[in-house]
Amino acid sequence: QVQLVESGGGLVQPGGSLRLSCVVSGISISIYSMGWYRQAPGKQRELVARINSFGSTNYADAVKGRFTISRDNAKNTVYLQMNSLKPEDTAVYYCKLTTATLYWGQGTQVTVSS
């Protein structure tokens, strides 16, 4: 079956960086769009960034210029490079695969705090 496994989260100080990875198994991601979403406590899940099969990207305004989404189809993996992190970036980050069915990973916690 299709599985998405995120990793790379953790505790980081404001201004720091993290790189999230999402490894997909059970399906080749090469023709599908992938996305990163986040959910902070008490808030709805929101789009952070997405990348289509052609490599075109779009970002939430809150992360533009700081986050970069990328994909490696050979490794069936999508990444989220997060720089200049702020406390308001604290959330659980989820990876999503969009086919005729939507698939989500289990999430990885990112905490930005001094």
Side-chain angles (χ1 to χ4, degrees):
Q1 71 275 24
V2 177
Q3 287 189 319
L4 285 67
V5 179
E6 301 101 332
S7 62
L11 173 64
V12 63
Q13 292 187 341
S17 297
L18 285 173
R19 188 194 195 204
L20 306 184
S21 299
C22 173
V23 179
V24 181
S25 60
I27 192 171
S28 171
I29 69 169
S30 62
I31 63 170
Y32 298 113
S33 292
M34 300 288 301
W36 285 97
Y37 290 71
R38 67 187 181 187
Q39 187 166 18
K43 295 188 177 181
Q44 289 189 330
R45 193 172 297 188
E46 63 179 5
L47 172 69
V48 175
R50 57 186 166 210
I51 184 168
N52 68 15
S53 61
F54 302 103
S56 295
T57 60
N58 63 292
Y59 297 90
D61 288 343
V63 307
K64 280 181 181 176
R66 300 188 297 122
F67 291 10
T68 303
I69 188 171
S70 61
R71 63 193 296 158
D72 185 336
N73 290 336
K75 295 183 178 179
N76 236 30
T77 300
V78 64
Y79 303 98
L80 186 68
Q81 178 67 44
M82 305 186 295
N83 299 328
S84 303
L85 283 160
K86 304 175 181 180
E88 51 263 44
D89 294 319
T90 295
V92 178
Y93 283 71
Y94 298 91
C95 177
K96 186 178 86 169
L97 166 65
T98 302
T99 69
T101 303
L102 299 181
Y103 298 95
W104 292 91
Q106 82 289 348
T108 185
Q109 176 71 47
V110 172
T111 302
V112 185
S113 175
S114 55

